[in-house]
Amino acid sequence: MATYDLTPRIGPSLDRHLVFPLLEFLQERQLYPDEQILKAKIELLNKTNMVDYAMDIHKSLYHTDDVPQDMVERRVEVVARLKALEDAAAPLVTFLQNPNAVQELRADKQYNLQMLNDRYQIGPDQIEALYQYAKFQFECGNYSGAADYLYQYRALCTNSERSLSALWGKLAAEILMQNWDIALEELNRLKEIIDSKSFSSPLNQVQSRIWLMHWSLFIFFNHDNGRTQIIDLFNQDKYLNAIQTSAPHLLRYLATAFIVNKRRRPQFKEFIKVIQQDQCSYKDPITEFLACVYVNYEFDGAQKKMKECEEVILNDPFLGKRVEEGSFSTVPLKDEFLENARLFIFETYCRIHQRIDMGVLFEKLNLNYEEGERWIVNLIRNSKLDAKIDSETGTVIMEPNQPNVYEQLIDHTKALQGRTYKLVGQLLENAQAQPAR
Amino acid sequence: MASKFWTQGGSDTEEEETDIEDEIENGGAGETTAAAAGSRYLQTNASDSDDSDGQKRVVRSAKDKRFEEMASTVDQMKNAMKINDWVSLQESFDKINKQLEKVMRVTESDRVPNLYIKCLVMLEDFLAEALANKEAKKKMSSSNHKALNAMKQKLKKNNKQYEELINKYRENPESEEEKFEDEDEDEDEDESGSELEDPSQIAAESSDEDDEGEDMDDDDADGAWEKKLSKKEKLMDREFKKDPSEITWDTVNKKFKEVVAARGRKGTGKFEQVEQLTFLTKVAKTPAQKLEILFSVISAQFDVNPGLSGHMPINVWKKCVQNMLVILDILVQYPNIVVDDMVEPDENETQKGADYDGTIRVWGNLVAFLERIDNEFFKSLQCIDPHTREYVERLRDEPLFLVLAQNVQEYLERIGDLKSAAKVALRRVELVYYKPQEVYDAMRKLAELSEDGEKDGDETKVEETRGTSAFVVTPELVSRKPTFPENSRALMDILVTLIYKSGDERTKARAMLCDIYHHALFDEFSIARDLLLMSHLQDNIQHMDVSTQILFNRAMAQVGLCAFRVGLIAEGHGCLSELYSGGRVKELLAQGVSQSRYHEKTPEQERLERRRQMPYHMHINLELLEAVHLICAMLLEVPNMAANSLDAKRKVISKTFSRLLEVSERQPFTGPPENVRDHVMAATRALCKGDFQKAFDIINSLDVWKLLRNRESVLEMLKAKIKEEALRTYLFTYCSSYDTLGLDQLTRMFDLSDAQIHSIVSKMLVNEELHASWDQPTRCIIFHDVEYSRLQALAFQLTEKLSILAESNERAVEARTGGGGLDLPLRRRDNQEYAAGTAGGGGGRWPDLSYGQGRQGSSGRAAYTGGGRPLALGQASRDRSGQSRGYSGRAGSGMRGSQMDASARMVSLNRGVRG
């Protein structure tokens, strides 16, 4: 089942610290041998300052109490550096911790800098030290501290590049602290900066977008409203282009979001085309499912894929998020996905059939007969389906869905009125504007 | 004389010999010498393979031939003397001088033949006599008198060179025979020496120089050496004959300036200049000086090229490449020497010796030279008849160039001139991109083989260089063997990545096109398509130069072929249809001149066109291309015709195809198919009836399929496609006649599986191409009758017109108000912008190579339909702007996301992003 694991592809676009939750998840799902994951964790921690944690993992991996010398040395080094940075940033930190002093700050950055410099002897060096300190805190795993400092740093910083990386740092810290609402705010702020025209090079821009999308996965699949927002973000042309060129594996998440989100039909059609086009560059059961239902109309294939999708969702760190309810845990997304996928198949199936044998249909939908019949009756009752059940022969008979000619005519002409009004409004506006000029 | 060989000279090769010589004599003076040397090599090479025994004889006979000619000229002179005809004497004298050059070259000896000396003596005597005889002089006609005076001057000048020999001869005319014996022996040695060597003139020359060099070291008193004085030597200043220690930088520099100054002047033999300069390189005092002179040598070698349309003689080209390699050797050996063409270097810059610490600037431009060499190679391939052996031989020189390019590129990368390195890389890319793996492998093997063969030659050469110039030794530092990765893709990737990183705009565009072509060649359609779309080359190719446009056309054609091979019919058609819309495929691909009935081309245009032709080995097979295009069109058009047979204003997918179909339908009788077109037409007729088997058989009988690598799978795919389209055509045509149609029946009729038929029919149902639905329990299709009444149909027409009216109103207002206010549907506005764009561009996607006759861009936009065909089709029948819907999401978004500036687009394709 590890074939559909995207961690190796997602990893490079994430911060080291962000990969950590993914590894935890994999360990829990036991997709890979434990040993391998522990090794990966140590590897991951090597470059960070979370030396204590690395030591613990090392101990559990090799079942010893000894710790390699270089780790010990590194720990000393890290502590020393932490000390040094703390000292450097101390003046500013004490200033910021004093609520009275902080109230003197105003919205004007220049004023603030001037004020700090004049009254507290806090110059650019100290501010820079704050940034370094925050970064170091982050590296050490103290995310909340890092987030606070970075927030304050941003208020004082004048260098736009530094401010940007501070923003990235803040976002990562918020994600790791699971403050989804704040993280979402940071995400949008970052997105604005990336999309602004003044962003350095297009290449850089694309790269940043890719990163942003990867990071946002944490937020979107945890935030309540995330599934709509993921479509809003990923389905933008610029972002979709970036996905197609550099990170086609993100299509899985977009596809899932589309499937569980019923109200996105118009964009969905466009998206199907993208899926079709990118089948050669990326494929997994979820996209293949869509291709089966909407491109090739292979319902048997779709059914098979649906089963595979279940596995994929359970093993995906983002999609397979568990919710503990009492004694047993469920994956809410999985159920939702399956329900919607079933509906997709059924809908398309009904569109091209006049009479369907329920037995065959339920087989395609992975339902048993009783359950299926209830399901269909419900659909009919909620007037989602224009059909009748012929219980004698065990078939569903679709009502002929020939569009009424008159309805069609009305459809065609309905918009005309609105358009004309708008046109007139436009003209009048223009006419009024002209004399004024 | 060497008459003892004459009798042997009557071998079969003699005739060839004469042919070649005749040719040579027809050419200009400069060319003659060059070609003479060249032909000699060809000759020896050719006879090598024929019979090794005859080889000596061949060489002899060539030499004899020269002597014979000379002797006959001497006879003529004698006759002229008898009648005191100075005019003809003068002519003969010029002739004999020319012949002398040839003889010298043929025998490769430095010694002037005694026959010539004898002749000179004779002339001198006769002249003295004539001058003495004042009365006779008065009697002469004016022209004769003039000739006499001219002759006097000439002879005086000429004889100065041979003074010593003449004196010797006067002293001892009898020793003639004996000396000839010597000479012959010498020649033997020379010959055998040159056989061992690398078959390039340089090597031979350097062996001559070698002798001289040793002689120089020898005592001057050695009498034999005096005789060996070469003509070349004579041309040089006397001081070079002195002890090497006496040759100073100044003298060499002075002579060098002198020779260079003579360049381009009337009467300066181009070939001679090359030789003089080559000699100077041997005596150059400092590496920098040697470098400087070598640059001039190469420039002079370029001058040898007879004209703009002709190409450089091949042997000169080879020498040129060798010289470039030597330059690189020097540059690698002395990293403090910098080659630059921007600043005029100091006069005495080259005086700084090898041990000088600072940088030495030498004027020159490696890239320009390299590009010139490449151009000459390209030109020679254009000129040589591709069906001859010569062409193949010429193609074998490709690795030679690749070595050079590789070395230059490495050097440039080392000194950090990435921009130039990218240019060089592009040249390499352009030699590799069109090669399928098999050809590439062959080239790699050839390079390895030739390297083995050359190994010995190389070694000897190194020694020679050492012997020649004790002044500046240049060991072969750069490798003489190209290194190719296993896979041509790997090579392309390396080169192309470099270019994307640091090339300029044009270089990048060209590299991108080559990259696309190469991907397409390897059946990587999606990658090729992505590159094409992301690079936005389609949008701005019109603004590029013609050769890039041709490259673009070639890439498009190849992408089309690739799409077909991987089974993407609609895409394939999209790529190829425009290429065929004008009927000027040959011209667009630069694979021949197409004759236009409507306007004559001026000779100037024709010449231009001929100059940009692709060499034969790079051609894309036109028959295959046509077959693919027509088959794609057939597969799309036939169901389309069936679906809309009653619709008067139906959309035609391929105009070319429907025109052809009309023509073929008009014929009263149809014979068996002959060419590609006939085949496809016959297949079309069968397909219209739903007879897939016959249609496939006809297509299968085309013999262009043997050009495909994966022929079986392609034909398999084609068969499946034909079946599918036959099914669709059948359903469209006969749906009105059926109420229900069983799945089993269709399965039987079209030899397709249930699932396939179900899938195909479902697709049609969903797209509302077919008004029907499945009845699942009975497994059949139930057709619905959806005929509108006349009133209803009219009502529909009315609403359609109304919406057009509203739309045009909106557009009118928009034009007045500047567009900002109305929120028209986004897509439509895009379309308009785009349409405006194409109209402004003046032409379609396909860059038009014609001369100011811009085609209308109406068909421009359909060039690329990446997305799902069935969807596009369905909409096209209902929606006015349906054509644009066919655009894939990607293409559309690509258009819209054009905020990035042009340079950025290229950059964003860098591999870094993809990985």
Side-chain angles (χ1 to χ4, degrees):
Chain A
M1 217 42 229
T3 40
Y4 296 119
D5 181 31
L6 288 181
T7 319
R9 296 180 74 167
I10 292 178
S13 305
L14 291 176
D15 190 88
R16 276 177 182 278
H17 296 260
L18 291 174
V19 182
F20 221 75
L22 301 188
L23 287 181
E24 294 278 349
F25 181 86
L26 291 180
Q27 194 174 12
E28 201 179 298
R29 294 292 307 171
Q30 304 198 317
L31 280 179
Y32 300 97
D34 237 13
E35 198 176 311
Q36 214 175 329
I37 288 189
L38 287 179
K39 268 186 191 156
K41 275 188 182 175
I42 292 185
E43 183 76 12
L44 197 66
L45 290 171
N46 258 349
K47 295 267 171 59
T48 70
N49 295 335
M50 295 152 83
V51 190
D52 285 339
Y53 193 30
M55 284 176 178
D56 288 346
I57 295 173
H58 184 87
K59 281 176 198 162
S60 73
L61 176 59
Y62 299 106
H63 306 291
T64 59
D65 281 344
D66 302 331
V67 174
Q69 190 57 35
D70 56 335
M71 276 196 187
V72 177
E73 277 166 21
R74 178 141 170 79
R75 185 174 156 40
V76 174
E77 192 186 309
V78 164
V79 171
R81 182 148 166 73
L82 182 66
K83 204 86 197 132
L85 283 170
E86 202 173 352
D87 288 346
L92 192 52
V93 172
T94 43
F95 165 79
L96 291 168
Q97 274 162 357
N98 180 357
N100 294 332
V102 171
Q103 275 184 358
E104 288 176 49
L105 291 177
R106 295 189 198 165
D108 184 3
K109 254 188 205 174
Q110 285 306 326
Y111 168 82
N112 287 342
L113 289 177
Q114 191 66 31
M115 197 261 304
L116 283 176
N117 207 359
D118 293 350
R119 304 216 348 234
Y120 298 91
Q121 284 79 45
I122 297 174
D125 287 347
Q126 275 78 19
I127 296 177
E128 172 65 23
L130 181 68
Y131 172 79
Q132 296 295 353
Y133 184 53
K135 186 161 179 244
F136 204 78
Q137 286 282 353
F138 180 81
E139 299 271 288
C140 292
N142 179 9
Y143 303 124
S144 65
D148 287 348
Y149 292 136
L150 283 173
Y151 174 72
Q152 281 150 350
Y153 172 76
R154 271 182 49 72
L156 295 172
C157 149
T158 45
N159 181 346
S160 67
E161 215 164 285
R162 262 293 152 73
S163 154
L164 187 65
S165 58
L167 202 49
W168 281 108
K170 180 95 188 334
L171 176 59
E174 297 296 349
I175 289 173
L176 287 163
M177 286 190 299
Q178 315 207 332
N179 292 335
W180 306 123
D181 285 324
I182 305 173
L184 191 63
E185 271 170 42
E186 301 296 337
L187 183 77
N188 287 332
R189 208 168 291 157
L190 205 50
K191 176 176 174 287
E192 255 166 55
I193 296 177
I194 291 174
D195 287 344
S196 69
K197 280 198 175 129
S198 57
F199 204 73
S200 60
S201 79
L203 183 63
N204 215 332
Q205 207 168 18
V206 170
Q207 197 63 52
S208 303
R209 281 190 185 131
I210 298 286
W211 277 41
L212 192 71
M213 283 189 280
H214 277 97
W215 292 32
S216 71
L217 290 176
F218 288 98
I219 304 170
F220 289 144
F221 285 102
N222 285 302
H223 195 265
D224 299 332
N225 208 11
R227 288 173 211 162
T228 347
Q229 279 163 341
I230 190 175
I231 297 177
D232 288 341
L233 179 70
F234 283 23
N235 208 34
Q236 282 177 30
D237 283 339
K238 288 176 205 158
Y239 287 82
L240 203 55
N241 275 349
I243 291 179
Q244 286 182 308
T245 47
S246 308
H249 51 269
L250 289 177
L251 285 177
R252 170 192 288 183
Y253 301 103
L254 188 53
T256 315
F258 266 120
I259 291 172
V260 295
N261 220 319
K262 285 163 219 146
R263 275 165 305 180
R264 294 293 180 152
R265 281 308 156 83
Q267 289 149 306
F268 187 56
K269 265 198 178 140
E270 296 285 317
F271 180 67
I272 294 292
K273 278 181 202 161
V274 174
I275 292 268
Q276 193 183 353
Q277 214 174 65
D278 276 80
Q279 257 179 331
C280 45
S281 57
Y282 178 72
K283 229 191 241 181
D284 74 11
I286 296 179
T287 60
E288 277 173 331
F289 169 76
L290 285 180
C292 277
V293 179
Y294 286 100
V295 181
N296 300 325
Y297 303 98
E298 274 176 48
F299 300 101
D300 294 333
Q303 177 211 346
K304 258 181 236 145
K305 291 294 165 203
M306 217 160 91
K307 277 185 192 145
E308 286 177 34
C309 286
E310 205 176 325
E311 287 290 314
V312 170
I313 289 175
L314 285 179
N315 287 327
D316 189 288
F318 299 108
L319 302 177
K321 196 187 64 151
R322 289 173 175 277
V323 174
E324 305 286 334
E325 265 178 53
S327 54
F328 58 94
S329 68
T330 55
V331 180
L333 199 90
K334 183 194 86 176
D335 302 334
E336 216 173 319
F337 179 89
L338 289 183
E339 172 70 20
N340 278 300
R342 208 170 283 154
L343 206 60
F344 274 167
I345 298 183
F346 183 59
E347 216 172 60
T348 322
Y349 204 69
C350 290
R351 260 177 82 188
I352 55 169
H353 280 80
Q354 196 180 32
R355 208 150 57 103
I356 309 167
D357 185 359
M358 287 204 279
V360 179
L361 178 65
F362 298 150
E363 196 186 303
K364 284 202 194 337
L365 299 176
N366 290 344
L367 289 172
N368 63 33
Y369 196 88
E370 297 281 301
E371 212 181 313
E373 194 168 341
R374 201 172 309 133
W375 188 66
I376 288 196
V377 170
N378 271 333
L379 283 179
I380 295 172
R381 275 170 52 111
N382 297 339
S383 68
K384 278 183 182 164
L385 181 67
D386 201 6
K388 292 272 182 291
I389 296 179
D390 185 346
S391 144
E392 177 96 10
T393 52
T395 52
V396 184
I397 299 167
M398 304 295 139
E399 296 293 316
N401 59 344
Q402 281 307 312
N404 190 319
V405 181
Y406 304 106
E407 267 175 35
Q408 278 185 343
L409 279 177
I410 291 167
D411 270 356
H412 277 200
T413 43
K414 208 163 36 182
L416 284 178
Q417 195 183 12
R419 277 163 76 179
T420 317
Y421 274 125
K422 205 174 270 173
L423 194 67
V424 171
Q426 179 76 26
L427 268 176
L428 284 178
E429 215 172 85
N430 204 38
Q432 280 164 359
Q434 227 139 39
R437 231 185 268 156
Chain B
M1 286 302 306
S3 59
K4 55 180 169 174
F5 297 118
W6 289 7
T7 43
Q8 292 172 341
S11 64
D12 337 348
T13 41
E14 185 85 344
E15 275 168 22
E16 274 176 50
E17 200 75 21
T18 0
D19 286 351
I20 289 163
E21 273 153 23
D22 287 348
E23 251 174 56
I24 291 158
E25 247 126 36
N26 293 339
E31 194 188 10
T32 320
T33 47
S39 68
R40 189 188 144 264
Y41 279 105
L42 288 179
Q43 212 53 50
T44 40
N45 287 345
S47 58
D48 252 356
S49 54
D50 287 345
D51 53 338
S52 48
D53 292 14
Q55 192 200 3
K56 267 235 154 80
R57 219 171 12 173
V58 175
V59 177
R60 286 280 178 220
S61 70
K63 202 172 8 172
D64 292 348
K65 192 89 191 156
R66 303 286 180 216
F67 276 115
E68 199 182 347
E69 275 171 11
M70 209 167 188
S72 72
T73 317
V74 172
D75 283 344
Q76 275 173 24
M77 285 169 96
K78 276 182 189 153
N79 286 338
M81 278 181 207
K82 271 179 204 149
I83 57 168
N84 211 9
D85 181 359
W86 283 97
V87 180
S88 64
L89 199 59
Q90 193 185 1
E91 275 168 19
S92 304
F93 183 66
D94 287 345
K95 202 162 140 199
I96 204 168
N97 273 342
K98 262 184 210 160
Q99 282 164 350
L100 175 71
E101 261 172 44
K102 277 186 213 160
V103 170
M104 303 282 285
R105 216 174 306 289
V106 166
T107 57
E108 296 210 346
S109 81
D110 317 323
R111 227 180 326 177
V112 182
N114 276 12
L115 177 66
Y116 180 73
I117 301 297
K118 199 170 133 194
C119 169
L120 285 186
V121 171
M122 194 172 69
L123 266 175
E124 214 173 49
D125 290 348
F126 184 63
L127 187 76
E129 199 182 301
L131 287 176
N133 192 349
K134 294 247 167 81
E135 278 173 39
K137 221 164 110 184
K138 270 175 199 162
K139 275 184 209 158
M140 275 183 212
S141 67
S142 65
S143 64
N144 216 3
H145 194 245
K146 226 190 238 163
L148 171 67
N149 281 338
M151 194 66 206
K152 193 170 81 183
Q153 302 293 337
K154 267 190 200 164
L155 199 64
K156 208 166 154 193
K157 216 162 100 193
N158 193 39
N159 284 11
K160 223 175 202 166
Q161 292 177 41
Y162 307 104
E163 222 174 335
E164 276 162 284
L165 284 175
I166 290 170
N167 289 340
K168 207 160 212 98
Y169 178 80
R170 281 184 196 283
E171 279 168 28
N172 191 10
E174 271 73 47
S175 68
E176 192 182 347
E177 273 315 304
E178 176 202 346
K179 264 181 218 145
F180 262 99
E181 222 56 69
D182 275 4
E183 191 180 78
D184 287 344
E185 274 167 32
D186 266 5
E187 279 156 12
D188 284 357
E189 276 164 28
D190 277 351
E191 286 309 318
S192 54
S194 65
E195 272 160 33
L196 282 177
E197 284 153 15
D198 181 318
S200 93
Q201 182 74 7
I202 257 222
E205 259 168 37
S206 62
S207 88
D208 290 355
E209 304 296 348
D210 195 5
D211 292 344
E212 281 163 24
E214 278 161 18
D215 286 339
M216 276 192 251
D217 292 339
D218 283 347
D219 211 345
D220 272 18
D222 189 350
W225 181 77
E226 290 290 292
K227 269 177 263 156
K228 281 194 171 182
L229 260 184
S230 75
K231 177 167 167 262
K232 213 186 305 162
E233 189 77 350
K234 290 266 183 199
L235 291 170
M236 289 294 131
D237 269 357
R238 293 267 164 185
E239 55 251 55
F240 290 137
K241 281 184 271 167
K242 289 173 197 159
D243 199 39
S245 59
E246 282 172 40
I247 302 175
T248 62
W249 178 85
D250 272 325
T251 50
V252 177
N253 191 44
K254 209 174 112 212
K255 185 67 197 164
F256 170 60
K257 290 269 145 57
E258 210 172 278
V259 177
V260 169
R263 180 184 175 189
R265 254 186 230 156
K266 226 178 180 179
T268 319
K270 287 170 182 166
F271 200 84
E272 220 151 77
Q273 201 180 18
V274 172
E275 271 181 18
Q276 288 176 4
L277 288 168
T278 314
F279 174 76
L280 276 175
T281 61
K282 313 288 177 197
V283 294
K285 288 300 280 184
T286 63
Q289 190 178 35
K290 183 166 178 181
L291 199 64
E292 193 182 13
I293 300 174
L294 271 172
F295 275 126
S296 303
V297 172
I298 293 174
S299 300
Q301 278 169 335
F302 286 144
D303 284 347
V304 171
N305 187 5
L308 203 55
S309 51
H311 63 91
M312 197 160 143
I314 288 164
N315 60 324
V316 179
W317 185 86
K318 280 182 180 163
K319 268 195 257 173
C320 210
V321 172
Q322 296 300 341
N323 281 340
M324 280 295 277
L325 286 171
V326 175
I327 286 180
L328 284 173
D329 283 335
I330 296 175
L331 287 174
V332 170
Q333 195 185 3
Y334 304 99
N336 59 336
I337 300 181
V338 179
V339 174
D340 199 347
D341 65 340
M342 294 309 285
V343 281
E344 194 61 38
D346 189 16
E347 180 75 358
N348 294 331
E349 190 86 0
T350 55
Q351 193 166 8
K352 295 159 185 167
D355 45 356
Y356 181 76
D357 275 339
T359 52
I360 305 176
R361 299 180 159 280
V362 177
W363 185 90
N365 188 345
L366 286 176
V367 182
F369 281 155
L370 186 90
E371 288 184 338
R372 180 74 194 266
I373 289 176
D374 184 34
N375 289 345
E376 293 294 345
F377 182 65
F378 189 81
K379 256 200 253 173
S380 69
L381 285 171
Q382 278 179 328
C383 293
I384 299 170
D385 180 5
H387 304 290
T388 56
R389 188 158 177 75
E390 199 187 352
Y391 192 81
V392 181
E393 291 291 327
R394 185 61 180 147
L395 271 180
R396 278 166 188 270
D397 294 338
E398 204 173 66
L400 200 64
F401 176 75
L402 281 171
V403 180
L404 179 63
Q406 190 180 350
N407 284 322
V408 172
Q409 191 190 334
E410 271 163 18
Y411 172 74
L412 289 170
E413 276 174 46
R414 214 173 310 131
I415 62 165
D417 189 356
L418 288 178
K419 209 167 165 127
S420 308
K423 275 189 196 163
V424 178
L426 177 67
R427 293 289 168 161
R428 290 174 70 193
V429 166
E430 286 185 11
L431 282 180
V432 173
Y433 78 96
Y434 58 87
K435 289 189 170 70
Q437 187 64 39
E438 293 84 6
V439 179
Y440 179 81
D441 285 339
M443 184 179 75
R444 224 180 64 212
K445 260 179 220 134
L446 172 71
E448 274 158 20
L449 275 182
S450 63
E451 183 260 341
D452 289 339
E454 261 165 43
K455 201 78 191 166
D456 325 312
D458 278 352
E459 272 159 20
T460 51
K461 215 160 69 189
V462 177
E463 279 161 29
E464 275 155 22
T465 346
R466 213 164 286 144
T468 317
S469 52
F471 318 127
V472 185
V473 187
T474 44
E476 299 203 356
L477 290 173
V478 283
S479 79
R480 296 305 204 244
K481 176 199 169 195
T483 45
F484 293 117
E486 275 289 314
N487 193 326
S488 59
R489 186 66 247 164
L491 180 63
M492 284 292 283
D493 278 342
I494 297 167
L495 295 174
V496 161
T497 312
L498 173 78
I499 296 172
Y500 292 160
K501 248 185 231 145
S502 43
D504 57 21
E505 205 55 25
R506 180 175 182 270
T507 315
K508 271 194 275 190
R510 285 188 76 94
M512 175 69 68
L513 288 169
C514 293
D515 203 13
I516 292 168
Y517 189 102
H518 193 264
H519 276 299
L521 203 62
F522 281 61
D523 284 355
E524 309 252 23
F525 176 75
S526 58
I527 300 176
R529 176 200 57 196
D530 286 359
L531 286 178
L532 193 65
L533 287 177
M534 281 190 293
S535 58
H536 294 258
L537 280 170
Q538 286 178 311
D539 305 340
N540 43 27
I541 190 71
Q542 279 95 346
H543 311 300
M544 304 219 182
D545 58 321
V546 175
S547 108
T548 309
Q549 291 186 355
I550 290 171
L551 189 60
F552 177 80
N553 290 347
R554 281 165 58 75
M556 276 303 259
Q558 195 59 248
V559 170
L561 287 178
C562 168
F564 175 77
R565 283 195 300 260
V566 298
L568 299 165
I569 301 298
E571 281 83 351
H573 182 255
C575 293
L576 296 180
S577 62
E578 280 228 30
L579 192 57
Y580 274 89
S581 63
R584 294 185 300 145
V585 199
K586 276 189 191 167
E587 192 183 323
L588 288 174
L589 293 177
Q591 294 188 172
V593 189
S594 54
Q595 294 300 327
S596 170
R597 225 181 317 161
Y598 301 109
H599 64 278
E600 290 284 307
K601 284 172 195 146
T602 63
E604 177 64 15
Q605 286 171 345
E606 255 173 46
R607 214 173 309 130
L608 275 176
E609 205 177 320
R610 218 171 303 127
R611 212 174 301 153
R612 52 176 181 246
Q613 291 298 307
M614 285 288 139
Y616 185 73
H617 66 288
M618 293 168 77
H619 282 195
I620 298 171
N621 187 290
L622 285 176
E623 271 199 1
L624 180 65
L625 202 63
E626 192 184 9
V628 166
H629 167 241
L630 287 178
I631 289 169
C632 287
M634 173 183 83
L635 289 176
L636 296 178
E637 189 72 76
V638 169
N640 182 42
M641 285 190 316
N644 306 313
S645 55
L646 302 173
D647 193 352
K649 44 177 192 183
R650 56 156 192 203
K651 287 256 183 322
V652 178
I653 294 175
S654 168
K655 284 209 174 98
T656 329
F657 179 79
S658 46
R659 209 180 312 127
L660 284 177
L661 194 62
E662 262 171 44
V663 170
S664 91
E665 271 169 1
R666 235 180 281 145
Q667 281 171 356
F669 305 108
T670 43
E674 279 169 8
N675 54 17
V676 173
R677 221 174 268 182
D678 291 348
H679 275 86
V680 178
M681 287 306 132
T684 306
R685 280 192 293 273
L687 196 59
C688 283
K689 291 183 203 121
D691 186 351
F692 75 89
Q693 191 59 48
K694 193 177 166 199
F696 176 71
D697 288 342
I698 293 169
I699 297 283
N700 195 20
S701 66
L702 280 173
D703 51 1
V704 286
W705 300 126
K706 68 173 185 285
L707 297 169
L708 291 178
R709 206 175 335 151
N710 40 1
R711 180 182 158 179
E712 257 69 60
S713 61
V714 169
L715 286 176
E716 202 58 36
M717 176 278 298
L718 193 57
K719 189 166 185 177
K721 290 281 172 197
I722 289 178
K723 276 183 200 169
E724 185 184 331
E725 298 308 334
L727 169 65
R728 283 159 52 82
T729 313
Y730 178 82
L731 286 176
F732 280 133
T733 317
Y734 298 109
C735 65
S736 53
S737 327
Y738 286 95
D739 206 11
T740 61
L741 208 68
L743 182 61
D744 300 328
Q745 194 192 344
L746 289 176
T747 323
R748 244 177 293 119
M749 276 174 72
F750 291 98
D751 191 25
L752 285 164
S753 71
D754 279 3
Q756 276 170 313
I757 293 207
H758 196 275
S759 166
I760 294 166
V761 175
S762 299
K763 229 181 266 181
M764 290 169 77
L765 297 183
V766 170
N767 296 329
E768 294 179 35
E769 291 172 315
L770 205 60
H771 298 286
S773 51
W774 285 104
D775 189 57
Q776 199 235 334
T778 54
R779 287 161 56 91
C780 60
I781 309 166
I782 296 172
F783 292 96
H784 303 300
D785 198 20
V786 276
E787 289 289 297
Y788 293 130
S789 70
R790 182 161 168 72
L791 178 65
Q792 286 165 340
L794 284 173
F796 272 117
Q797 273 183 22
L798 183 66
T799 55
E800 207 166 276
K801 291 209 165 121
L802 275 175
S803 62
I804 294 168
L805 186 67
E807 204 167 291
S808 59
N809 271 344
E810 273 168 6
R811 216 171 289 161
V813 171
E814 199 178 4
R816 270 303 286 272
T817 59
L822 280 183
D823 48 350
L824 293 175
L826 182 66
R827 183 181 296 111
R828 224 180 52 227
R829 193 177 304 161
D830 271 350
N831 285 346
Q832 284 163 7
E833 271 168 29
Y834 184 62
T838 39
R845 269 297 149 70
W846 288 88
D848 209 316
L849 311 178
S850 70
Y851 319 96
Q853 44 144 43
R855 277 187 299 127
Q856 273 315 307
S858 58
S859 57
R861 57 166 321 134
Y864 208 84
T865 45
R869 169 172 53 86
L871 281 172
L873 259 181
Q875 283 164 350
S877 53
R878 284 179 289 129
D879 194 335
R880 289 213 143 238
S881 62
Q883 203 180 6
S884 67
R885 295 256 177 111
Y887 258 86
S888 65
R890 170 79 69 87
S893 55
M895 295 304 172
R896 258 172 276 156
S898 57
Q899 284 97 323
M900 301 189 207
D901 59 326
S903 66
R905 286 173 203 143
M906 296 290 185
V907 177
S908 68
L909 292 166
N910 205 324
R911 263 152 219 280
V913 197
R914 310 198 100 233

